[in-house]
Amino acid sequence: MKFSKSVLLASMLATPMFAAAKAPASSATNQLNISAVLNGYYQSEQKALSNREKGFGLGETELALSGNIDDAFYGKMTTVLVSDGSETEVELEEAFIQTMSLPAGFSIRGGRFLSDIGYLNSLHMHTDAFTDRPAVYRAFLGGHYFDDGLRLDYVAPTDLYWSMGVEALKGANMRAKNDEHKTKEVGIYTAYTKFGGDINDSSSWMMGLSYLNNQNGIAELHHEEDDDHGDEHKGEDKHSGHDHGAKYTGKNLYGVDAVYKWAPNGNFKYQHFTLSGEYFRMTDLFSADEHQHDLDDKSHQGWYVSGVYQWSPKWSTGLRYGRVDVQVAHEHEEDGKHEVELERQSLKETEFQISYHHSHFSTIRLQYTNQQGQESLKPTDEHSVTLQFIMTLGAHSAHQF
């Protein structure tokens, strides 16, 4: 089986490959796809680095419209309903057009869209195998990073799948808390490449490298009393109120990701296994002229590894472990001198889930989470349980590998 066949099969079943994002799901002109995803949960405790509150709530319940505009353009709009305390907010997560007929493997996407850095970020959250994104995503990318901007993609004409792309984005929700400098209107530039292939009829793989340059990501050091318990890099733009801002920012974010998938003879319907992992490192965190030599080698970093096994058409289970290490700055006066102290804080997160899939369109998931954190990353309770349902109505576009 060639890699392209894996792509098609996976697109029809549970874990579609990259084809959907590079080309529209439907070839018919002016065929409008309408879909809704209902995502609700009950969570026993508030988690560290999470916006989800204790109790009942909406995850990301979405309504999506998509289709070919004509033979040259594809369009999609996704609105999301999110519960934030006692209020329910509506936000526009995607509203973009994409070219379909540029030559030589090129395509352009413009509007608001999910950035293609990393592995998970370009996937809708309702496709995740766990109830929430890994801690490293919640810390550095606001859970999932979407923004207004422009993307250029290229797929190389090689036997091995090889794609690359660059993006220029507004970056409003990735800004550091910094009122002393004028922010740049185009704040984020990204570059990424992905490559992968089939190992045999049952196994395939993909790896990726990503880089994000945040022109507004360096934070000025400030007094400790102004520190919002680790949220000193909290983003300013909340996209209609709900906070999708990164908790921690810096100028440079480097990432590497890898995914391995197995399904007997490429048939994902009855059994499949997915092993994935990502690592991110963020540098150039703070700006302070007299203390710059103390800050140059400091970085935030985080990673996760997850394994998900579906042993029958209706049942799957998964285990994920991840960690985030961040530098929290404190500035104070001592003996008449201005002193800066950086404190390293960590969060370790272990999650286990079991899911029931009555069909491809309905999932009920029970997840246990254990968090071990320090200071601002310390959860209210180390143990939490989440019960989640995800139901899909209508025709929904396929997702990437």
Side-chain angles (χ1 to χ4, degrees):
M1 182 181 67
K2 301 297 184 184
F3 191 58
S4 57
K5 292 182 179 179
S6 297
V7 172
L8 293 175
L9 183 58
S11 297
M12 296 171 61
L13 298 174
T15 52
M17 285 195 174
F18 53 86
K22 309 306 177 188
S26 172
S27 59
T29 301
N30 288 329
Q31 178 178 331
L32 181 64
N33 297 318
I34 303 175
S35 67
V37 178
L38 308 178
N39 184 346
Y41 69 87
Y42 173 81
Q43 187 168 283
S44 65
E45 299 293 339
Q46 173 80 40
K47 299 179 185 177
L49 286 177
S50 176
N51 292 324
R52 291 187 176 182
E53 295 186 344
K54 175 181 177 180
F56 291 103
L58 296 176
E60 289 216 342
T61 295
E62 69 174 46
L63 176 64
L65 308 175
S66 63
N68 295 348
I69 299 166
D70 51 32
D71 60 343
F73 295 100
Y74 167 82
K76 184 174 184 181
M77 183 178 72
T78 303
T79 57
V80 177
L81 281 73
V82 181
S83 61
D84 188 4
S86 59
E87 299 181 354
T88 299
E89 301 170 352
V90 180
E91 59 187 9
L92 187 63
E93 186 175 273
E94 292 178 305
F96 67 83
I97 60 169
Q98 179 172 316
T99 62
M100 298 195 300
S101 55
L102 292 185
F106 286 96
S107 66
I108 296 175
R109 178 177 294 193
R112 176 172 296 181
F113 51 85
L114 295 162
S115 172
D116 211 7
I117 61 169
Y119 171 61
L120 281 180
N121 194 73
S122 62
L123 303 177
H124 287 164
M125 294 181 70
H126 66 83
T127 67
D128 289 3
F130 296 85
T131 59
D132 210 349
R133 283 280 156 96
V136 62
Y137 267 76
R138 306 197 305 268
F140 300 160
L141 297 171
H144 62 310
Y145 175 43
F146 58 91
D147 210 339
D148 303 340
L150 195 65
R151 171 192 297 171
L152 173 64
D153 272 322
Y154 172 69
V155 179
T158 57
D159 291 336
L160 188 75
Y161 170 68
W162 185 23
S163 69
M164 59 202 80
V166 293
E167 298 168 332
L169 301 160
K170 187 176 180 180
N173 57 341
M174 300 286 278
R175 293 172 185 163
K177 184 177 180 180
N178 185 349
D179 297 328
E180 298 179 10
H181 292 76
K182 183 179 180 180
T183 55
K184 297 185 178 179
E185 294 181 355
V186 180
I188 299 287
Y189 297 92
T190 74
Y192 50 84
T193 183
K194 304 175 191 289
F195 43 94
D198 286 338
I199 300 172
N200 51 44
D201 288 349
S202 302
S203 302
S204 55
W205 64 278
M206 186 168 72
M207 292 189 66
L209 299 171
S210 302
Y211 170 68
L212 183 150
N213 180 274
N214 189 346
Q215 295 289 305
N216 304 313
I218 300 178
E220 288 284 345
L221 291 181
H222 53 280
H223 292 286
E224 186 174 10
E225 56 268 26
D226 295 332
D227 194 330
D228 188 17
H229 300 288
D231 282 356
E232 70 269 30
H233 305 105
K234 199 170 185 177
E236 298 172 352
D237 183 7
K238 297 185 178 181
H239 282 297
S240 303
H242 185 69
D243 185 5
H244 271 291
K247 305 294 184 186
Y248 300 90
T249 64
K251 184 177 182 179
N252 301 302
L253 179 64
Y254 305 91
V256 57
D257 59 86
V259 185
Y260 166 79
K261 293 193 176 187
W262 169 86
N265 297 314
N267 186 348
F268 280 73
K269 181 175 181 179
Y270 299 102
Q271 276 185 301
H272 62 85
F273 173 73
T274 300
L275 178 66
S276 62
E278 296 187 68
Y279 170 80
F280 289 99
R281 179 182 176 86
M282 185 179 289
T283 65
D284 295 283
L285 311 178
F286 305 104
S287 175
D289 294 338
E290 65 273 29
H291 305 292
Q292 200 61 49
H293 62 284
D294 297 323
L295 306 174
D296 287 341
D297 61 343
K298 303 299 182 183
S299 64
H300 300 321
Q301 58 182 330
W303 56 272
Y304 76 89
V305 175
S306 72
V308 179
Y309 178 48
Q310 180 168 320
W311 70 84
S312 77
K314 292 187 180 298
W315 291 95
S316 67
T317 189
L319 179 65
R320 184 170 71 189
Y321 179 78
R323 174 170 178 153
V324 173
D325 295 284
V326 298
Q327 303 285 342
V328 178
H330 302 284
E331 191 176 16
H332 59 92
E333 298 287 341
E334 184 172 325
D335 298 330
K337 297 178 61 178
H338 216 51
E339 298 292 339
V340 177
E341 293 182 356
L342 292 180
E343 181 182 5
R344 178 178 173 176
Q345 298 179 4
S346 302
L347 175 66
K348 302 174 185 176
E349 195 170 70
T350 306
E351 297 158 293
F352 173 78
Q353 64 88 359
I354 184 167
S355 300
Y356 171 73
H357 315 276
H358 184 70
S359 70
H360 181 58
F361 304 100
S362 62
T363 298
I364 297 174
R365 177 172 295 129
L366 182 65
Q367 179 172 310
Y368 165 75
T369 301
N370 179 274
Q371 291 187 313
Q372 301 288 330
Q374 303 168 339
E375 301 295 335
S376 62
L377 299 180
K378 188 175 181 62
T380 55
D381 194 306
E382 295 177 350
H383 310 279
S384 63
V385 176
T386 305
L387 180 64
Q388 178 189 41
F389 68 80
I390 300 175
M391 306 286 165
T392 304
L393 300 87
H396 192 80
S397 301
H399 296 88
Q400 298 186 42
F401 176 74

